[in-house]
Amino acid sequence: MDKEERKTINKGQEDEMEIHGYHLCRWKLAMVSVGVICTGGFLLLLLYWMPEWRVKATCIRAAVKDCEVVLLRTTDEFRTWFCAKVHFLPLGNQPNLNAKSLANKVSNGHAVHLTENLTEENKCELNKYSQTQSQQMRYFTHHSVRYFWNDAIHNFDFLKGLDEGVSCTSIYEKHSAGLTKGMHAYRKLLYGVNEIAVKVPSVFKLLIKEVLNPFYIFQLFSVILWSIDEYYYYALAIVIMSIVSIISSLYSIRKQYVMLHDMVATHSTVRVSVCRVNEEIEEIFSTDLVPGDVMIIPLNGTVMPCDAVLINGTCIVNESMLTGESVPVTKTNLPNPSVDVKGIGEELYSPETHKRHTLFCGTTVIQTRFYTGELVKAIVVRTGFSTSKGQLVRSILYPKPTDFKLYRDAYLFLLCLVVVAGIGFIYTIINSILNKKEVQEIIIKSLDIITITVPPALPAAMTAGIVYAQRRLKKVGIFCISPQRINICGQLNLVCFDKTGTLTEDGLDLWGIQRVENTRFLLPEDNVCSEMMVKSQFVACMATCHSLTKIEGVLSGDPLDLKMFEAIGWILEEATEEETALHNRIMPTVVRPSKQLLPESTTAGNQEMELFELPAIYEIGIVRQFPFSSALQRMSVVARVLGDKKMDAYMKGAPEVIASLCKPETVPVDFEKVLEDYTKQGFRVIALAHRKLESKLTWHKVQHINRDAIENNMDFMGLIIMQNKLKQETPAVLEDLHKANIRTVMVTGDNMLTAVSVARDCGMILPQDKVIIAEALPPKDGKVAKINWHYTDSLTQGNESSAIDSEAIPIKLAHDSLEDLQLTRYHFAMNGKSFSIILEHFQDLVPKLMLHGTVFARMAPDQKTQLVEALQNVDYFVGMCGDGANDCGALKRAHGGISLSELEASVASPFTSKTPSISCVPNLIREGRAALMTSFCVFKFMALYSIIQYFSVTLLYSILSNLGDFQFLFIDLAIILVVVFTMSLNPAWKELVAQRPPSGLISGALLFSVLSQIIICVGFQSLGFFWVKQYKVCDPYSDVCNITRSACWNSSHLYNGTELDTCKIQNYENTTVFFISSFQYLTVAIAFSKGKPFRQPCYKNYFFVISVIILYVFILFIMLHPVASVDQVLEIMFVPYQWRIYMLIIVLINAFVSITVESFFLDTVLWKLVFNRDKQGECRSTTTQPPQESVDRWGKCCLSWALSCRKKTPKAKYMYLAQELLFDPEWPPKPQTTTEAKTVVKENGSCQISTIT
């Protein structure tokens, strides 16, 4: 097994990679060195750009176990190559540090996982430790992660801490005592320095890396070539442009590095106190922390330098860096199974599962609460880049490549230009040889044709539109950290929205309560703050069951808890440090009603009597708190009323969960109906429960009891109804998106029926639309997984039966196009649990559900990411809009992630909106479409510029002539650069339209546009070139020219080089080609500068209009009224006035044909009939479309025979699927039916439908 040359690391994870082993080979190195010298360094550059070639050219294959170099390739769709050198970590030079002792202290052979038994347990691993004699360990580093060779698994594996494979029991029994100094030294050697090192590269390093970009190398080659050919002015202009581009790029890259460095540097080096085995407290730098260290959390708080699990005390933490919410979170110590009343056995510790007990790196500890004489302690579980913050920084430092069709097509287009250049290269060589030119001139001229065909200014021109779009986005409060994503946002056809804080207001308002008495619901009440209810268990639950705390005297915590507590008008008091110090335990938080709420008898009497009435004061102390868990969907507290002997347990959470933990006889019979009524109206409902605890439960026992022992056998008390109002702009924004045929999807952690109701209220689901709830059940008791389909009632139908009439089932007919799919009127809704089951057991159904899935409720953060990936798998361009809380994964995975939070979590999102409003989504898509169309226009223009100039030079080469230096300079600088940088300034169109721009350059409309303009330009240039040849023969002035030119050619040995070049350049053909081509550049710029429907009309782009007018006037002036000085500089020949008029006629006809073909024929006929792809496969009807019926009929009649307008298979998977579902009689599923997973292994994921009788 060790001799295998290829293995897989990080299997099943997002960063899964294949790994190949290699040994350095001296003879290959020698051959490569010779090749580098022979190619003038070009081979070295090629190997620098291609890691795979570099390794294979200098190394030979070897076993991964013994290799010196590893070659890595990602297993995703990008298949990216990386290489890394294998290093050796010496162990022998450390005191008492050898492989044997290390094996006894660290498991899995090569310390890939920390041990739980420091003595005898891992001696059996010693036999697997194949390098015990070498006193060294082999490892390589990739993307800031160390991978060590692990003999146990015969592969490289990254170094893990205490976050995997360590039980909660061992956290206390084996790790809570701390590390010895010797063990600390061992682990420090393995884990390295605890820092998230974002090194800001020096300017010199960045410069070298930037300059070695293939584009700049090509520019350097072009400049050298032009300098040899004495094109000094243009070469200098390109050098200046390249320098400006490099400086701008360096500034931008370095600025991003500095920002990221500053973000992670907040905890880089601070002093921390750690406990050692002998109970000694040692103060060390945070950079010296290793997994297993017991860190003491200071009283005044700190910024966590690592991930650590709390084992003693309580902390109030601000986790805004991770969650995007600045709401303080209470962290309690990890339950100790050995002392719990009901142990949790060998449950493995996980930072994600036990996040309520984990302090994450980068989060701020605001307050600590502790026992007298005991410190607040936490065990370090992860350090450096392994921490939660480190992983976030890694995702920013090493992002996945952006896969966008535009960029792939751009490379293909450039390849086509290279092929064209190759043809010109061969033609030039053959033509020069036939005319017996010198070898040096042949080489220069033939290479020059390549630099003409592939324009060096192309990348700068393509970037201009994105830069302008970025500036416009900044003006409307949208900030971008990934400019390349702006173009991709122009293709978004589906946007996922978080609900709370995104579609709805951030806070909740208390609408009312509905209590339960004698297992029956009372009437709803809107006033909780009353004397009658002040001592009720219902109000006591509202007063105690929360995670609120006072920070600097201000009550803070979860917004829902705040609203609930404020509604009852009680007061919360926390013990001070001095009060806590007087007792041998943490003083409980006390809540009590304000004096106005208490009955008068309690507060009556004079001041002398108040001391004797203290027992009558109604106070409740919160003894133990079990924080809210999103996995459990509930929280609970243990409290005691002052003077009572027994304690009370209070619980609140999701109604379905709370009801399941209550005595069935205490839950009203109509519980489900009442809950459904509220959720359908869009209310957020929370249930409350209570029970008296046994008197044998003392304060000490409660501190160590497991929450499962408390949260059962409760009495159901009633419901709290919270109202979550829609934001004012939400319905209008969603309507705009729907009109633009952009699907909207809701992804929320809230109740499903509430989410469906909000979706109806905001217009995401129209009143007449049907909602099908997919309720998936996992395999159980030998039965296969199944999905139950339920049809919900729309609000307009009230409480009528959900039986479906004939009008409710979408009528599916065969249509000429996919546009009629817009008429389908059903949506799928499901919760996170069902979504996970469907992903696992019903893979065939996933694409179908993605096509019409609209509401996804109770979704965990990882499920949101999976949903985005599932939508992308059916070829949707997915946008994600969230408030930053738990949306980071989805924001990063989506094509366009927009964070409505400006907190640090937004650093993971490509876009951040300054205003927390979803109105940023249409703005971003509009700017994205404008930037995308600008990129298309610029690319087409640059392609035409290359072809026009290429053909001009090719024509002139045929008569052994060429364009002059200043002619090149005038065209490339005065015309091309000015036009390119001004034509990109068109702002976005004021509203979203249903039509979408193409996703790539290799599309029918764009190819037809480019090819038609090439044919037109080449045709008119050829017309002018050959016409001027005939004109010279007939023109009396042509003899003089011919004699002069003949003298120049025949007496070339009498003239110096400059005079000879003048004779070559100044001729009828050159002047004609120069004027015609100059006008052609401006003509195609106007033709390609399209406005509506994605950009503002070009006449509103004042800089472009003024530039084009000035250039037109200037060129027209020097053509019709020659100026001697200008003619001399541009090397233009004085031609008869009659020929100037002929050139003007050619130019005018050329302009008319070009603009007519581009603006009328292409846009009106071909685009709408043949290349239109934007309205297919969507799930919503468009309300307004421009009337094009007559044009469409005319176009179909004229073009059907030539363009074969037949039904074709759509390219996008979701469109193809929508077409298939038109003829599927079993879809959508009928109400009250069940889909069961097949048990046949070979058809995993397929399903069959059976009706429940």
Side-chain angles (χ1 to χ4, degrees):
M1 186 173 181
D2 291 345
K3 294 183 179 180
E4 290 182 7
E5 295 180 349
R6 184 179 69 179
K7 293 180 180 291
T8 302
I9 59 175
N10 302 329
K11 198 161 189 177
Q13 299 179 30
E14 188 179 359
D15 54 351
E16 181 180 285
M17 291 178 289
E18 293 176 356
I19 179 170
H20 309 260
Y22 286 87
H23 274 316
L24 285 171
C25 179
R26 291 185 178 180
W27 66 266
K28 281 192 171 186
L29 279 171
M31 288 185 65
V32 168
S33 301
V34 173
V36 169
I37 295 169
C38 294
T39 58
F42 180 72
L43 178 60
L44 189 63
L45 280 171
L46 197 62
L47 297 180
Y48 169 78
W49 295 329
M50 309 291 288
E52 180 194 6
W53 294 7
R54 180 166 74 249
V55 172
K56 291 184 177 180
T58 57
C59 304
I60 55 173
R61 295 294 292 267
V64 175
K65 178 183 176 181
D66 305 314
C67 64
E68 297 173 349
V69 176
V70 291
L71 185 63
L72 307 164
R73 185 173 70 169
T74 60
T75 57
D76 56 18
E77 66 271 24
F78 303 105
R79 315 289 284 179
T80 311
W81 290 94
F82 303 94
C83 66
K85 188 176 181 180
V86 175
H87 298 279
F88 294 88
L89 185 66
L91 306 178
N93 58 354
Q94 299 291 327
N96 301 321
L97 183 60
N98 53 58
K100 184 174 180 179
S101 65
L102 192 63
N104 287 332
K105 292 178 172 62
V106 186
S107 65
N108 286 351
H110 275 234
V112 180
H113 199 293
L114 285 182
T115 182
E116 295 186 5
N117 188 335
L118 301 181
T119 53
E120 300 296 327
E121 187 175 289
N122 290 311
K123 286 186 177 179
C124 60
E125 296 290 337
L126 191 58
N127 295 330
K128 300 178 184 179
Y129 198 78
S130 61
Q131 299 178 47
T132 54
Q133 303 301 322
S134 62
Q135 303 293 304
Q136 58 187 6
M137 296 169 58
R138 305 174 64 254
Y139 74 95
F140 68 89
T141 303
H142 174 67
H143 285 178
S144 302
V145 175
R146 276 186 180 184
Y147 293 85
F148 285 84
W149 177 256
N150 184 347
D151 276 338
I153 61 172
H154 302 281
N155 201 354
F156 281 98
D157 198 5
F158 65 89
L159 205 60
K160 300 179 182 69
L162 295 178
D163 55 319
E164 288 185 33
V166 180
S167 67
C168 295
T169 304
S170 67
I171 289 281
Y172 279 96
E173 293 180 356
K174 302 172 184 177
H175 298 287
S176 60
L179 301 175
T180 63
K181 290 187 178 181
M183 192 59 185
H184 178 270
Y186 300 165
R187 295 187 180 179
K188 176 74 182 299
L189 181 70
L190 294 172
Y191 287 94
V193 178
N194 172 37
E195 64 176 354
I196 302 172
V198 179
K199 295 180 181 178
V200 180
S202 65
V203 175
F204 179 74
K205 282 186 177 179
L206 286 174
L207 179 65
I208 295 298
K209 189 175 180 180
E210 190 71 15
V211 167
L212 292 181
N213 184 293
F215 161 65
Y216 289 117
I217 296 298
F218 176 70
Q219 279 195 333
L220 179 64
F221 162 75
S222 302
V223 166
I224 293 171
L225 183 67
W226 294 328
S227 300
I228 294 171
D229 203 22
E230 298 179 351
Y231 292 174
Y232 298 120
Y233 300 106
Y234 188 48
L236 181 64
I238 290 295
V239 167
I240 293 171
M241 190 171 66
S242 299
I243 290 173
V244 171
S245 177
I246 289 171
I247 291 173
S248 172
S249 180
L250 288 184
Y251 174 76
S252 176
I253 294 171
R254 186 173 171 82
K255 185 180 177 183
Q256 288 183 6
Y257 270 110
V258 170
M259 286 175 61
L260 191 58
H261 176 269
D262 292 344
M263 187 194 88
V264 302
T266 52
H267 73 283
S268 57
T269 308
V270 294
R271 282 195 168 274
V272 295
S273 297
V274 294
C275 295
R276 296 298 178 212
V277 171
N278 55 5
E279 297 186 0
E280 174 192 351
I281 295 177
E282 181 184 359
E283 195 172 80
I284 62 174
F285 284 109
S286 59
T287 50
D288 294 327
L289 287 172
V290 297
D293 269 332
V294 177
M295 178 183 171
I296 297 171
I297 311 298
L299 302 179
N300 56 352
T302 183
V303 176
M304 288 300 296
C306 58
D307 286 353
V309 58
L310 201 60
I311 59 169
N312 204 19
T314 305
C315 293
I316 310 295
V317 184
N318 184 334
E319 291 190 322
S320 61
M321 195 284 300
L322 292 178
T323 65
E325 291 181 345
S326 56
V327 176
V329 179
T330 302
K331 302 281 186 174
T332 58
N333 59 293
L334 183 74
N336 188 349
S338 61
V339 295
D340 279 351
V341 175
K342 180 182 177 183
I344 55 176
E346 290 300 309
E347 180 184 4
L348 295 179
Y349 166 73
S350 165
E352 286 70 36
T353 307
H354 300 95
K355 63 182 178 181
R356 284 292 181 179
H357 315 294
T358 305
L359 305 173
F360 292 102
C361 178
T363 60
T364 304
V365 178
I366 304 169
Q367 281 183 1
T368 60
R369 300 182 69 200
F370 55 92
Y371 295 95
T372 301
E374 292 193 29
L375 301 169
V376 179
K377 297 178 183 178
I379 298 176
V380 178
V381 293
R382 295 186 296 205
T383 58
F385 278 100
S386 297
T387 62
S388 51
K389 185 172 183 177
Q391 291 167 8
L392 175 62
V393 173
R394 280 185 68 226
S395 69
I396 299 168
L397 280 174
Y398 314 107
K400 269 193 170 184
T402 303
D403 182 31
F404 189 39
K405 198 168 184 291
L406 170 65
Y407 304 124
R408 284 185 274 122
D409 289 353
Y411 287 117
L412 287 174
F413 214 92
L414 283 175
L415 190 62
C416 294
L417 290 179
V418 169
V419 171
V420 173
I423 296 170
F425 178 80
I426 295 169
Y427 165 77
T428 305
I429 291 176
I430 294 172
N431 187 54
S432 300
I433 291 173
L434 291 175
N435 285 278
K436 300 179 180 179
K437 290 290 179 181
E438 295 179 3
V439 175
Q440 182 182 357
E441 188 175 351
I442 293 174
I443 294 172
I444 291 173
K445 294 297 180 186
S446 55
L447 290 175
D448 190 35
I449 202 80
I450 296 175
T451 65
I452 290 171
T453 314
V454 184
L458 179 61
M462 292 285 286
T463 306
I466 298 174
V467 172
Y468 296 147
Q470 192 175 3
R471 288 180 181 174
R472 290 194 296 268
L473 284 172
K474 194 173 182 180
K475 287 181 181 178
V476 294
I478 301 173
F479 298 92
C480 174
I481 62 171
S482 180
Q484 296 301 324
R485 296 265 184 158
I486 297 176
N487 271 342
I488 302 177
C489 288
Q491 276 297 310
L492 296 183
N493 52 11
L494 183 147
V495 183
C496 297
F497 291 97
D498 184 32
K499 184 179 78 68
T500 308
T502 303
L503 296 174
T504 61
E505 296 289 350
D506 213 353
L508 292 165
D509 295 319
L510 184 68
W511 181 83
I513 63 170
Q514 191 157 6
R515 292 183 294 154
V516 171
E517 282 187 8
N518 301 322
T519 69
R520 290 190 178 185
F521 278 114
L522 302 179
L523 292 174
E525 302 166 80
D526 57 359
N527 184 19
V528 193
C529 190
S530 66
E531 290 184 9
M532 292 179 58
M533 295 176 58
V534 71
K535 290 190 177 184
S536 67
Q537 296 289 3
F538 194 96
V539 171
C541 184
M542 293 178 69
T544 57
C545 199
H546 53 71
S547 57
L548 301 178
T549 186
K550 278 193 173 180
I551 298 174
E552 297 180 354
V554 179
L555 201 62
S556 55
D558 186 88
L560 186 147
D561 288 345
L562 272 173
K563 286 284 184 184
M564 187 177 70
F565 192 77
E566 288 169 359
I568 59 175
W570 281 41
I571 298 168
L572 181 140
E573 292 180 350
E574 289 183 326
T576 63
E577 292 179 19
E578 292 77 13
E579 290 172 330
T580 302
L582 295 174
H583 302 79
N584 194 27
R585 62 188 183 188
I586 295 178
M587 290 294 290
T589 298
V590 174
V591 292
R592 58 181 174 80
S594 60
K595 291 183 179 180
Q596 293 83 357
L597 293 175
L598 290 171
E600 292 184 7
S601 59
T602 305
T603 56
N606 55 34
Q607 294 181 353
E608 288 78 6
M609 291 298 293
E610 286 184 4
L611 290 172
F612 299 96
E613 293 177 357
L614 282 177
I617 294 176
Y618 187 65
E619 286 186 349
I620 304 176
I622 302 172
V623 180
R624 176 82 190 274
Q625 182 188 93
F626 298 101
F628 176 79
S629 165
S630 56
L632 301 175
Q633 297 181 20
R634 64 181 184 268
M635 78 164 291
S636 60
V637 294
V638 176
R640 180 158 61 185
V641 178
L642 184 65
D644 281 9
K645 292 182 179 180
K646 291 185 178 181
M647 296 185 189
D648 297 275
Y650 297 103
M651 181 169 62
K652 74 170 185 186
E656 307 94 328
V657 176
I658 300 300
S660 68
L661 296 172
C662 291
K663 299 173 188 174
E665 62 270 18
T666 65
V667 180
V669 180
D670 58 346
F671 163 75
E672 292 182 359
K673 181 180 179 299
V674 171
L675 175 62
E676 187 177 350
D677 287 343
Y678 282 124
T679 52
K680 276 186 176 181
Q681 295 176 60
F683 292 113
R684 181 164 181 184
V685 184
I686 297 163
L688 304 184
H690 159 263
R691 79 176 172 101
K692 280 282 184 185
L693 297 178
E694 301 83 359
S695 57
K696 65 179 181 179
L697 277 179
T698 62
W699 184 94
H700 182 75
K701 286 182 179 179
V702 166
Q703 296 306 314
H704 299 283
I705 198 170
N706 186 269
R707 70 187 299 168
D708 292 340
I710 299 291
E711 296 171 344
N712 64 74
N713 210 30
M714 309 284 279
D715 294 331
F716 191 82
M717 291 199 299
L719 304 173
I720 297 176
I721 299 100
M722 310 291 286
Q723 190 173 20
N724 194 197
K725 296 178 181 177
L726 280 176
K727 287 185 178 179
Q728 189 175 357
E729 67 276 4
T730 295
V733 170
L734 294 184
E735 186 181 0
D736 289 344
L737 293 176
H738 294 160
K739 285 180 180 178
N741 277 342
I742 296 172
R743 266 189 67 194
T744 53
V745 171
M746 184 188 295
V747 190
T748 178
D750 206 345
N751 175 281
M752 181 160 60
L753 291 177
T754 302
V756 171
S757 173
V758 172
R760 287 193 183 277
D761 291 343
C762 67
M764 195 175 284
I765 299 175
L766 298 180
Q768 68 271 19
D769 293 353
K770 278 292 170 188
V771 177
I772 308 171
I773 294 178
E775 181 192 7
L777 302 173
K780 189 177 180 181
D781 301 329
K783 296 181 180 179
V784 296
K786 61 181 181 179
I787 306 174
N788 296 324
W789 307 100
H790 307 286
Y791 279 56
T792 65
D793 301 329
S794 65
L795 293 178
T796 55
Q797 291 176 319
N799 293 324
E800 295 176 2
S801 170
S802 60
I804 308 301
D805 58 18
S806 58
E807 293 183 0
I809 298 293
I811 300 171
K812 298 190 291 188
L813 302 171
H815 299 289
D816 292 337
S817 73
L818 292 180
E819 293 178 21
D820 296 291
L821 281 176
Q822 316 290 337
L823 299 176
T824 55
R825 302 191 311 266
Y826 61 92
H827 305 260
F828 289 107
M830 67 194 75
N831 59 28
K833 183 180 176 183
S834 296
F835 178 69
S836 294
I837 294 169
I838 290 169
L839 279 183
E840 184 177 356
H841 298 285
F842 298 89
Q843 295 175 7
D844 288 354
L845 279 183
V846 173
K848 296 180 181 180
L849 292 174
M850 292 304 102
L851 192 65
H852 291 282
T854 303
V855 176
F856 296 85
R858 299 287 190 213
M859 296 286 279
D862 59 329
Q863 291 170 338
K864 291 183 180 183
T865 308
Q866 290 169 352
L867 173 64
V868 170
E869 290 174 349
L871 290 166
Q872 290 173 334
N873 288 340
V874 290
D875 292 344
Y876 277 113
F877 283 90
V878 183
M880 174 71 195
C881 182
D883 58 1
N886 301 323
D887 296 324
C888 285
L891 288 170
K892 283 191 295 183
R893 191 69 183 93
H895 291 107
I898 315 159
S899 171
L900 302 186
S901 165
E902 289 189 82
L903 297 167
E904 287 187 25
S906 65
V907 81
S909 175
F911 302 95
T912 302
S913 175
K914 191 175 181 181
T915 55
S917 164
I918 65 168
S919 58
C920 63
V921 175
N923 289 336
L924 178 61
I925 296 175
R926 285 191 305 105
E927 290 295 349
R929 289 181 173 186
L932 184 58
M933 286 310 297
T934 297
S935 295
F936 288 142
C937 292
V938 169
F939 204 98
K940 291 195 297 180
F941 176 72
M942 294 301 286
L944 260 295
Y945 151 62
S946 298
I947 297 298
I948 291 170
Q949 195 170 82
Y950 166 80
F951 196 72
S952 300
V953 171
T954 305
L955 286 174
L956 294 175
Y957 274 7
S958 68
I959 60 167
L960 302 179
S961 181
N962 198 359
L963 293 172
D965 288 4
F966 281 96
Q967 289 177 340
F968 274 120
L969 199 65
F970 177 77
I971 291 171
D972 294 329
L973 293 185
I975 298 179
I976 302 305
L977 289 187
V978 170
V979 167
V980 159
F981 289 115
T982 55
M983 76 186 297
S984 303
L985 287 169
N986 281 38
W989 185 245
K990 56 190 174 183
E991 60 186 24
L992 281 174
V993 295
Q995 190 177 349
R996 281 200 308 275
S999 60
L1001 288 164
I1002 312 300
S1003 64
L1006 292 177
L1007 283 178
F1008 182 86
S1009 172
V1010 171
L1011 291 174
S1012 61
Q1013 293 300 326
I1014 287 174
I1015 292 169
I1016 292 167
C1017 292
V1018 166
F1020 280 98
Q1021 264 200 63
S1022 302
L1023 173 65
F1025 181 78
F1026 292 110
W1027 190 2
V1028 76
K1029 279 191 165 187
Q1030 295 298 320
Y1031 181 82
K1032 283 195 309 179
V1033 174
C1034 305
D1035 187 70
Y1037 292 98
S1038 63
D1039 294 335
V1040 178
C1041 175
N1042 288 339
I1043 293 168
T1044 307
R1045 182 178 169 193
S1046 177
C1048 287
W1049 288 118
N1050 296 331
S1051 309
S1052 59
H1053 62 281
L1054 298 176
Y1055 296 93
N1056 59 36
T1058 305
E1059 291 171 337
L1060 180 61
D1061 286 345
T1062 302
C1063 289
K1064 288 181 181 179
I1065 292 168
Q1066 286 188 319
N1067 52 63
Y1068 269 57
E1069 291 87 348
N1070 170 282
T1071 301
T1072 303
V1073 168
F1074 171 74
F1075 278 121
I1076 292 175
S1077 64
S1078 295
F1079 280 110
Q1080 283 179 337
Y1081 298 130
L1082 297 175
T1083 299
V1084 293
I1086 294 170
F1088 288 155
S1089 292
K1090 296 177 182 177
K1092 192 177 178 181
F1094 306 117
R1095 304 195 303 167
Q1096 295 280 0
C1098 64
Y1099 59 78
K1100 288 191 175 182
N1101 184 351
Y1102 303 116
F1103 287 103
F1104 175 71
V1105 172
I1106 292 169
S1107 301
V1108 169
I1109 290 174
I1110 290 173
L1111 286 168
Y1112 256 121
V1113 170
F1114 176 76
I1115 299 171
L1116 197 63
F1117 179 78
I1118 63 172
M1119 185 177 80
L1120 298 178
H1121 299 278
V1123 179
S1125 57
V1126 175
D1127 287 357
Q1128 185 178 357
V1129 171
L1130 292 177
E1131 300 178 80
I1132 299 171
M1133 184 176 180
F1134 183 84
V1135 295
Y1137 187 77
Q1138 183 184 15
W1139 178 245
R1140 296 175 189 273
I1141 298 299
Y1142 289 160
M1143 284 194 293
L1144 179 61
I1145 293 170
I1146 294 173
V1147 165
L1148 291 175
I1149 297 173
N1150 184 357
F1152 175 78
V1153 173
S1154 291
I1155 293 173
T1156 301
V1157 168
E1158 183 70 21
S1159 300
F1160 174 75
F1161 186 72
L1162 181 69
D1163 285 357
T1164 307
V1165 182
L1166 290 182
W1167 184 279
K1168 295 187 185 303
L1169 297 183
V1170 184
F1171 306 128
N1172 193 11
R1173 48 163 288 281
D1174 60 286
K1175 294 178 287 186
Q1176 300 176 350
E1178 300 295 336
C1179 304
R1180 183 170 299 278
S1181 60
T1182 55
T1183 54
T1184 56
Q1185 292 291 341
Q1188 293 290 343
E1189 289 83 357
S1190 59
V1191 177
D1192 290 354
R1193 291 194 196 97
W1194 176 84
K1196 283 182 180 177
C1197 294
C1198 296
L1199 297 173
S1200 58
W1201 63 272
L1203 298 169
S1204 304
C1205 291
R1206 61 183 184 275
K1207 196 176 295 183
K1208 295 183 180 179
T1209 303
K1211 291 181 180 179
K1213 291 178 185 176
Y1214 72 89
M1215 291 194 287
Y1216 175 75
L1217 185 63
Q1219 197 177 51
E1220 274 193 336
L1221 292 180
L1222 279 174
F1223 307 99
D1224 187 349
E1226 299 297 329
W1227 197 261
K1230 303 296 186 292
Q1232 308 305 321
T1233 58
T1234 298
T1235 299
E1236 293 184 350
K1238 283 187 178 179
T1239 55
V1240 183
V1241 177
K1242 65 180 180 180
E1243 294 183 11
N1244 185 28
S1246 57
C1247 52
Q1248 59 186 7
I1249 295 178
S1250 58
T1251 304
I1252 295 179
T1253 56

